[in-house]
Amino acid sequence: IFKEHEGSFLVGALAAMASESGVIGFIPAFDFSLLQAFGCGYKQGAKHINPDIEIIETAIGTNFDAFNNPGGGTEVARSQIDRGADVIYHAAGGAGVGVLQAAADAGVLGIGVDSNQNHLHPGQVLTSMLKRVDVAVYNAFEDFDNGEWTNDVIVLGLAEEGVGAAFDDNNADLITDEMRAAVDEITAQIIAGEIVVHDYRTDNACPV
């Protein structure tokens, strides 16, 4: 399993640094504790950079069907853009394609999730919050090969390179040296325990 809240903290920090309006958005598929963990981490990261930033949160639907509603994602994203959001992070599965499309169409920035979605709209996706399934699979096979495999629960966060923010040619023009340095510093602080990212799933509450 993954510490999605830690990776989301990084993209929240980037969102706050990239925002010119001081308003950013978060769009989950629906109100679900796992998705709220993404949102809570994102809010903490944004507030770490700018305590006064405004964060709009709007769910697409009310159940798992919302993951398959890209039109709903587009509609919700447009409503947030109309309210001033110029960076929008989705945790909405297939519906997130609609969120990123709406952001690109409006000339604002989207943030992808789980896999690297920067390529969907080069220059319009600020970054993507990565869940490194490749690392999890590699570690499992390596443990097996070394005779160390177990069927225990493995938790991967920033320290284990299990989550992170995506940087590539598609978003290179959006990420300044200052932004990249800030992400590197925050990553080191989280790994060292100097920044503790609250996990919404522990108490179904967010401190920001």
Side-chain angles (χ1 to χ4, degrees), residues 84-134:
D86 61 356
V87 186
I88 301 175
Y89 176 40
H90 82 86
V97 175
V99 173
L100 297 179
Q101 183 69 61
D105 289 346
V108 304
L109 298 172
I111 297 178
V113 77
D114 291 343
S115 62
N116 187 348
Q117 296 184 307
N118 295 357
H119 67 283
L120 294 179
H121 301 282
Q124 292 297 146
V125 180
L126 177 64
T127 186
S128 297
M129 199 291 284
L130 303 176
K131 289 170 66 172
R132 298 292 305 276
V133 178
D134 57 330

Side-chain angles (χ1 to χ4, degrees), residues 49-72:
I49 297 296
N50 178 7
D52 297 322
I53 198 163
E54 180 182 351
I55 305 163
I56 304 170
E57 179 178 336
T58 320
I60 294 171
T62 58
N63 55 44
F64 284 96
D65 290 342
F67 283 112
N68 301 312
N69 184 6

